[in-house]
Amino acid sequence: MVYHASDARAALRQAGDGTPAPARATGQAAPAEYVPFPDVPPHSTGDGGRTWFARGQNLVVGYTEVADETTVALPAGPDEHALLLPEDTVGAVVETGGERTEIAGHTLTFLPPGAAEITLRGRGRAVTLGTTRCAELAARAVNADSYATAHPHVTPLTPWPEPVGGHRVRTYRLDVPGLENPPFRIFRCSSFMVNVPHRRSGPRDTTRLSPHTHDDFEQFSLVIDGDYTHHLRWPWTTDLSEWREDQHLTCQAPSLTVIPPTVVHTSQGTGAGVNHLLDLFSPPRADFSRMPGWVLNADDYPMPDQG
């Protein structure tokens, strides 16, 4: 990992519990998955909005453009769903487990396992999350064929302990400060982690990029505003035929990039206006979770050694 000295992530190597790092599997990592939503067919469309789904190994991401009122129905599965409303201009009514809950905009809500019907109202965007352990949800992904065979290096999802007090609708406001540098706002449930950084204006300082890699999990980078370049470098293996060229993937909002494990990567905001990228991980990241104060709802969702 290479972080600027002022970046709090520079302390991650010292934040472990003393256990050795997992052994890295042999063989080359998979290609990155890139889904530019406006350029692929939506899963559903209507006067009130359009919805797309894309997936990685463990996580399914839904993206909805809300023009008036539209409904997103999420099928029942063994894990929680999430609803992210990044703007105040879109609110929702969620029906799950026989209960009806109104949810304001600019929030992140975790929903209990089971089916959920989400009615979105307003004008803006909404993001839904669920796991691929729900086969019906996974099949909706426009890139489902890419995961007909499991990708190498990715650890299968084993959910963390249930939340304190059991599963229920839990809503968190996004108007909280979070970390200062990096400007992260991190939340987790039992099956995945959501990082909603503060929005950035203008291009990223190219002298303060953060190339790093993950041994055994994918990083989902969801661009909801602006323009980014994902710089990707695959490690060399002993087999020359497996080597891949570096990629400098230009991504515009709205789009999803799934970055494979073992790939060195950093994301550079390049737009002149607002640039906003969300990071998603499944299962939740243990290294982030061990850092005091990083996960804003840690008291609600225990780690495996606390369960």
Side-chain angles (χ1 to χ4, degrees):
M1 302 182 191
V2 181
Y3 296 113
H4 191 272
S6 64
D7 190 315
R9 289 172 293 179
L12 285 174
R13 283 184 178 273
Q14 288 75 46
D17 56 7
T19 58
R24 176 171 288 183
T26 59
Q28 185 56 281
E33 291 289 308
Y34 174 52
V35 182
F37 291 119
D39 296 340
V40 299
H43 174 265
S44 60
T45 186
D47 293 340
R50 300 185 296 170
T51 298
W52 294 262
F53 292 94
R55 63 165 288 182
Q57 190 108 312
N58 297 327
L59 190 66
V60 182
V61 179
Y63 180 84
T64 301
E65 291 180 344
V66 185
D68 184 13
E69 179 175 311
T70 191
T71 298
V72 178
L74 300 177
D79 302 312
E80 292 164 284
H81 295 291
L83 171 65
L84 172 66
L85 302 175
E87 303 153 305
D88 283 321
T89 56
V90 174
V93 175
V94 174
E95 295 186 32
T96 182
E99 296 185 359
R100 185 177 184 273
T101 306
E102 293 198 19
I103 299 173
H106 204 47
T107 56
L108 171 65
T109 299
F110 293 120
L111 307 175
E117 184 170 283
I118 302 170
T119 301
L120 300 164
R121 297 181 178 134
R123 193 173 187 86
R125 293 80 55 83
V127 177
T128 58
L129 304 171
T131 76
T132 58
R133 299 206 308 157
C134 175
E136 183 180 345
L137 183 63
R140 293 182 183 179
V142 69
N143 65 330
D145 289 346
S146 295
Y147 287 88
T149 301
H151 286 196
H153 306 281
V154 184
T155 299
L157 171 61
T158 299
W160 288 16
E162 291 190 3
V164 175
H167 289 295
R168 59 178 174 82
V169 176
R170 297 171 185 266
T171 297
Y172 304 96
R173 293 287 306 174
L174 298 180
D175 52 359
V176 292
L179 300 179
E180 182 176 346
N181 183 22
F184 288 174
R185 291 172 294 190
I186 303 172
F187 304 86
R188 69 169 184 251
C189 67
S190 300
S191 301
F192 47 86
M193 175 175 280
V194 181
N195 176 24
V196 188
H198 292 279
R199 302 161 67 190
R200 296 177 182 265
S201 295
R204 183 174 180 177
D205 182 350
T206 57
T207 68
R208 301 183 70 167
L209 300 180
S210 53
H212 62 283
T213 186
H214 311 298
D215 284 335
D216 57 359
F217 60 87
E218 296 172 316
Q219 178 165 328
F220 294 68
S221 292
L222 178 62
V223 176
I224 62 172
D225 287 300
D227 303 283
Y228 282 82
T229 298
H230 296 306
H231 302 284
L232 309 174
R233 172 166 289 180
W234 277 257
W236 290 354
T237 70
T238 57
D239 186 346
L240 178 63
S241 68
E242 294 181 334
W243 293 10
R244 298 182 187 275
E245 296 290 334
D246 291 354
Q247 283 190 330
H248 304 279
L249 189 60
T250 300
C251 304
Q252 297 178 323
S255 64
L256 177 71
T257 302
V258 184
I259 301 170
T262 77
V263 174
V264 180
H265 59 279
T266 188
S267 298
Q268 175 191 354
T270 58
V274 171
N275 298 305
H276 200 189
L277 179 151
L278 315 181
D279 293 320
L280 315 168
F281 308 95
S282 180
R285 287 183 61 162
D287 58 348
F288 280 7
S289 296
R290 292 191 189 104
M291 299 295 282
W294 280 37
V295 179
L296 300 179
N297 66 334
D299 289 344
D300 293 339
Y301 283 92
M303 293 181 65
D305 55 3
Q306 299 173 316

